[in-house]
Amino acid sequence: MNDRIPAEAELAWEDFHRLVNMTSDELRTWLLTDASGEEAFPADPETGLSELGTHVVDLLRKRKVDLTDGDADVMRQVVDYVEEHLDAPPPDGASNERWRHELMTVGHDPLRPEPSSA
């Protein structure tokens, strides 16, 4: 069995895990809360969830050797989305709730400190 993954998928995996700083459980809880809005949970809490966010939850639960080509595409899409948002923050930065919540729907909380690289 070949446990090697293509170099592109390897890079996507590294970038994805560098930028996605929420766990799968944290993100799933956030998506369910965000989908419910100001109201109570809808009858079907899965309704209204960010499709990209649910893919991120699934990806966070996967091992690198289990990635598909589609997973690599989603990881690149998430990396692009997060980097675009981080490159053009609003004037009030992470205290802008809407901007922060948009990032959190794909697993990046801009208020979470970056891990120190030791």
Side-chain angles (χ1 to χ4, degrees):
M1 180 174 165
N2 182 2
D3 280 349
R4 303 266 315 144
I5 65 169
E8 275 188 39
E10 180 79 39
L11 288 173
W13 174 269
E14 289 175 18
D15 287 342
F16 176 80
H17 282 280
R18 176 177 49 85
L19 291 170
V20 174
N21 61 8
M22 295 170 70
T23 67
S24 59
D25 289 340
E26 288 171 332
L27 178 55
R28 184 175 184 283
T29 299
W30 166 253
L31 292 172
L32 289 170
T33 302
D34 192 45
S36 70
E38 299 298 317
E39 308 299 317
F41 279 98
D44 178 5
E46 302 294 320
T47 306
L49 294 184
S50 157
E51 187 175 335
L52 187 56
T54 56
H55 284 300
V56 173
V57 170
D58 292 338
L59 284 169
L60 289 170
R61 293 179 175 164
K62 281 191 172 190
R63 298 177 316 154
K64 192 183 333 183
V65 296
D66 296 330
L67 295 176
T68 66
D69 290 339
D71 292 337
D73 291 341
V74 170
M75 287 188 295
R76 281 190 289 277
Q77 187 179 352
V78 169
V79 167
D80 290 347
Y81 183 86
V82 172
E83 286 179 340
E84 280 178 25
H85 276 68
L86 294 178
D87 286 346
D92 49 352
S95 64
N96 181 304
E97 226 175 77
R98 182 169 180 244
W99 180 77
R100 178 178 179 229
H101 290 180
E102 287 172 359
L103 283 164
M104 288 176 69
T105 62
V106 295
H108 180 83
D109 184 351
L111 292 182
R112 185 165 287 181
E114 290 188 34
S116 58
S117 51

